[in-house]
């Protein structure tokens, strides 16, 4: 995810930082109401931000010292949202808060904090349903495979011969 972060202070000036954030989050989903397709979810986990660019502007003609910013940001994020099935996917709205654990500039204690609100549509890519995947794992063979009956018979014969 692309994020523009930064802020203003009188030591490092007006910072504008551009990051590529990679969140690794666990999600817990619950139905809002039985027999109604709206789902409530919560997510939380760490994120890693890779700095793409940084610009610094002086404030009130105050000479900004050259401070080195860290190339990678590590932090924690969490949030929640709602999902509603529509067509081949889901409409969602989500709120998320993230805060950096690592310092923004090596010589200071500056840390990024970020709040986001997202609205969007998640497309579903057709594939095997969870039920089809479970059947394949349980039997070792896919039920849609034409040769699965032959393989099962061969397995039974080999077991009887031993």
């Amino acid at each position: 995810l692309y994020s523009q972060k930064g802020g203003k202070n009188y030591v490092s000036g007006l910072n504008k930082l551009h990051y590529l954030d990679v969140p690794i989050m666990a999600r817990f989903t619950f139905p809002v109401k039985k027999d109604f397709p709206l789902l409530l979810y919560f997510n939380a986990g760490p994120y890693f931000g890779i700095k793409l660019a940084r610009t610094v502007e002086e404030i009130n003609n105050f000479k900004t010292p050259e401070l080195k910013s860290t190339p990678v940001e590590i932090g924690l994020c969490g949030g929640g949202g709602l999902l509603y099935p529509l067509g081949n996917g889901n409409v969602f709205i989500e709120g998320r808060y993230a805060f950096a654990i690592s310092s923004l500039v090596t010589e200071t204690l500056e840390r990024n904090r970020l709040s986001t609100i997202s609205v969007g549509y998640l497309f579903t890519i057709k594939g095997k349903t969870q039920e089809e995947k479970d059947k394949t794992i349980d039997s070792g063979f896919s039920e849609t495979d034409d040769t699965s009956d032959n393989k099962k018979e061969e397995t039974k014969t080999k077991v009887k011969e031993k």
Side-chain angles (χ1 to χ4, degrees), residues 8-69:
K8 177 173 42 171
N9 76 34
Y10 294 100
V11 174
S12 60
L14 177 61
N15 281 296
K16 290 184 182 177
L17 297 116
H18 305 271
Y19 281 92
L20 177 63
D21 287 338
V22 181
I24 302 171
M25 301 178 67
R27 184 169 89 178
F28 304 96
T29 305
F30 309 96
V32 171
K33 202 175 190 185
K34 195 175 184 177
D35 301 330
F36 189 69
L38 186 66
L39 298 173
L40 173 68
Y41 67 89
F42 299 98
N43 50 29
Y47 75 90
F48 303 92
I50 301 165
K51 184 180 68 173
L52 302 174
R54 176 184 183 209
T55 57
V56 179
E57 297 175 18
E58 294 179 6
I59 299 174
N60 298 331
N61 295 327
F62 181 78
K63 181 65 179 160
T64 304
E66 289 294 320
L67 298 174
K68 185 177 178 183
S69 62

Side-chain angles (χ1 to χ4, degrees), residues 42-43 45 63 76 83 95 106 110 114 138 145 148:
F42 299 98
N43 50 29
K63 181 65 179 160
L76 297 172
L83 281 172
T106 53
E110 294 178 358
L114 180 69
D138 291 343
D145 188 1
S148 64

Side-chain angles (χ1 to χ4, degrees), residues 109-162:
L109 295 176
E110 294 178 358
R111 289 181 172 78
N112 281 320
R113 292 182 302 273
L114 180 69
S115 298
T116 60
I117 295 176
S118 303
V119 177
Y121 185 79
L122 298 171
F123 292 93
T124 302
I125 298 173
K126 295 265 182 185
K128 287 186 176 182
T129 64
Q130 188 61 43
E131 185 177 313
E132 290 171 334
K133 289 178 186 176
D134 290 342
K135 285 181 183 178
T136 302
I137 291 169
D138 291 343
S139 67
F141 301 103
S142 172
E143 289 189 4
T144 59
D145 188 1
D146 293 336
T147 60
S148 64
D149 290 334
N150 295 336
K151 289 180 183 177
K152 288 178 186 176
E153 289 300 320
E154 288 174 20
T155 305
K156 287 179 185 177
T157 306
K158 288 179 183 176
V159 171
K160 286 180 184 178
E161 288 174 0
K162 291 182 181 179

